[in-house]
Amino acid sequence: MLSSGIPVATLLDDPASVERKLSFAASEDLIRACELGLFYLKTPDDLDLESARQFGRELIASDSPHRQVPHYGELEGFIALENNQQTKLALRRERWNQHYPEHIAAFGRQLDAIGIAIILEVFRQSGILEALWDRASGGYASGGGDAFLNFVHYDTRTPDWGLRPHTDYGFVTILDASAPGLQIEVGGEFEDVPVLASHFIINFGEALNFITAHSNRAVSAVTHRVVSQQSIDPVRHSIVYFANPNLDGMLWQFDAAGREQGSSKVQDLFAQLENSLTETR
Ligand SMILES: [Fe+2]
């Protein structure tokens, strides 16, 4: 059963740093997470997840003022999709202060710190030299890059797929889901990823796969989908954070000896992925 095979990590205070360190019970667990492209992360005690969930649930109300957040391009704003009964409020980091309440913007910044902790641990295991982490990640590892904090609802009363199979484009996705429905592809079969109380589901994306491809620890971008399921509450709520590279930046591939093995404009990499089963954030 896959649920027993999904590694679980925690964030530990690191005496050597102001940042917390991603920690697995055993080193094989991180290796398994990199192979699988997915793991559970214990939600930190200082994260006010419940009020963020409450904010998400309140977006369902037709008179919610946040339903008036305008569109910025195709990816940002309050977006109601026709095809799969998904509605969402999606915003990049630069607009959190403008459109999210202060406590939600602060929540997003806490997820930034979690995203960085995850990437740094992958880099440590990859053998990529620390001096190259910032360049390899297009600045994300040092607090730059592109981050989205999205509040998503799937209305499961339709028989459609909630979300077709895809990989995520970015480095890391942090997911808080209120109900089951997420499945990942393992060995050609889709398997359920159960909701684990007090844990995020973390998955790795194409950009992290790209930058680790020639390192000692290549990370898989996991193919996943969301299936429509009936539940007591027919609306499946989720909070999704995407850690991405800047669209106008570069990504670099280094090996453990510090040699450059390749590079790509982020836009070129994403354009290559565009025709495969991926989503753009
Ligand atoms: Fe996804």
Side-chain angles (χ1 to χ4, degrees), residues 163 166-168 173 203 224 242 279 281:
L163 206 57
H166 66 280
T167 55
D168 292 344
T173 304
N203 71 263
H224 55 284
F242 294 101
E279 66 174 348
R281 67 242 160 258

Side-chain angles (χ1 to χ4, degrees), residues 59-182:
L59 293 172
I60 288 290
S62 56
D63 60 352
S64 165
H66 292 96
R67 294 173 80 98
Q68 306 303 320
V69 173
H71 287 194
Y72 300 96
E74 291 180 4
L75 301 180
E76 291 181 277
F78 184 83
I79 298 169
L81 297 177
E82 305 296 325
N83 57 345
N84 60 10
Q85 299 302 306
Q86 183 192 171
T87 57
K88 64 183 173 186
L89 178 58
L91 291 167
R92 316 184 126 81
R93 188 193 282 141
E94 287 70 22
R95 288 188 235 277
W96 293 348
N97 284 340
Q98 183 185 353
H99 290 300
Y100 283 142
E102 170 50 31
H103 74 285
I104 298 299
F107 176 79
R109 289 189 290 273
Q110 288 181 290
L111 297 189
D112 280 336
I114 294 173
I116 291 170
I118 294 168
I119 283 193
L120 293 189
E121 190 58 25
V122 169
F123 274 141
R124 273 182 209 108
Q125 298 298 322
S126 73
I128 295 172
L129 304 178
E130 188 168 348
L132 299 172
W133 292 356
D134 194 47
R135 198 165 148 221
S137 69
Y140 184 86
S142 60
D146 197 15
F148 282 83
L149 176 60
N150 299 353
F151 294 84
V152 186
H153 309 114
Y154 301 101
D155 189 329
T156 63
R157 286 168 291 199
T158 67
D160 291 342
W161 291 121
L163 206 57
R164 65 197 167 93
H166 66 280
T167 55
D168 292 344
Y169 275 16
F171 297 121
V172 170
T173 304
I174 302 173
L175 171 68
D176 176 61
S178 69
L182 180 69

